[in-house]
Amino acid sequence: MKKLNVNYMYLEITRRCTLECLHCLRGNRQNMDMSEEVLDNALKNVIHIHELDLGGGEPLLASQVIESIINKIRFYGIRVDKISFTTNGTVLTPRAVELIRQLQEIASLHVRLSHDKFHLLEFYIKNLTERVNKNNKMFMEMLGYDPKKKDFAMDEGIISCIGRAKLLTHEVIDAINKWIEPTFYHLVNAGPDVIDVVKMYDWDKDIVQVCGSVVISATGYLTPMDREYEFEDEGPIFGLHIKDKSLLEALILYENEWKRSLGDGSRFNR
């Protein structure tokens, strides 16, 4: 059985969230976590991951999924160089703290705090500012760096006109800009037809090199990065999912379909 050496894997472990940010490109939050079956199919043929990114939603709400990921990494003997996730800072339970420490034992851990003005507005609206500031201090103590530094806090970027952000107007953004100053945001039209192409090499060897981004939605679809939930669930990349097949099998199908789309008659087998 071939094994996969993956450069970057993004797992959308949950669609649950504590906030309802105006700019959320995912859309309205959903009460859904990545299933055990999808998670197992994503990892069982993998031997090495350079960076494993745990996404959401708010990933720290899905403590059971994170625990399962830790157990599977250990069970399958997967070497992971770096683990990262983005959190809004509203969830830091004792269980989450313990899981963060276990993630640190597995690989270099990089945590990003969403600190843009839209999140700050949500903290204010939901009366969460004090809690987030307290959690930030705990993050600083656990991880050894300042959560408010630029390389840690996600405090600038681009808003894509998808998801909830479709309803944002320049007037609304201008009003938020006047309310708080740390960053400047601007709208761009990021259509849902952009695919971060996965590239695979060395199919004739026991270990297949997987470059590009392997992005797996909570429902098990291979999907482009940063898209609306509804678009993810349409199966945008050749309709491929790993709900009933391994990631290796899905990537073989992906490679074959990609070559077919280019008019290349060659096919890969297991």
Side-chain angles (χ1 to χ4, degrees), residues 41-139:
N41 283 337
L43 296 174
K44 65 184 179 183
N45 296 130
V46 177
I47 193 171
H48 173 235
I49 304 173
H50 175 63
E51 180 176 356
L52 176 62
D53 202 348
L54 310 179
E58 169 51 51
L60 291 181
L61 287 175
S63 57
Q64 187 61 43
V65 182
I66 295 176
E67 182 178 15
S68 184
I69 289 171
I70 292 170
N71 291 337
K72 290 181 188 303
I73 287 173
R74 289 171 173 165
F75 179 78
Y76 289 120
I78 303 170
R79 180 165 64 92
V80 182
D81 299 328
K82 175 182 176 180
I83 298 175
S84 58
F85 66 86
T86 301
T87 176
N88 59 36
T90 63
V91 181
L92 198 57
T93 62
R95 181 62 180 142
V97 170
E98 171 59 27
L99 291 172
I100 287 172
R101 298 204 183 280
Q102 290 187 41
L103 290 173
Q104 286 179 299
E105 293 174 1
I106 292 173
S108 173
L109 181 63
H110 294 248
V111 178
R112 302 174 295 264
L113 283 181
S114 298
H115 248 105
D116 58 71
K117 62 188 62 180
F118 290 90
H119 284 91
L120 293 175
L121 178 60
E122 272 292 285
F123 300 156
Y124 175 79
I125 292 173
K126 296 185 180 298
N127 196 28
L128 292 170
T129 303
E130 184 177 348
R131 180 198 296 183
V132 171
N133 288 339
K134 180 180 178 181
N135 288 346
N136 286 350
K137 292 180 181 179
M138 292 184 65
F139 274 114

Side-chain angles (χ1 to χ4, degrees), residues 160-179:
S160 298
C161 293
I162 57 176
R164 292 171 61 84
K166 286 179 180 177
L167 303 178
L168 278 176
T169 63
H170 288 287
E171 288 75 19
V172 170
I173 294 175
D174 288 343
I176 295 173
N177 284 336
K178 293 175 182 177
W179 179 73

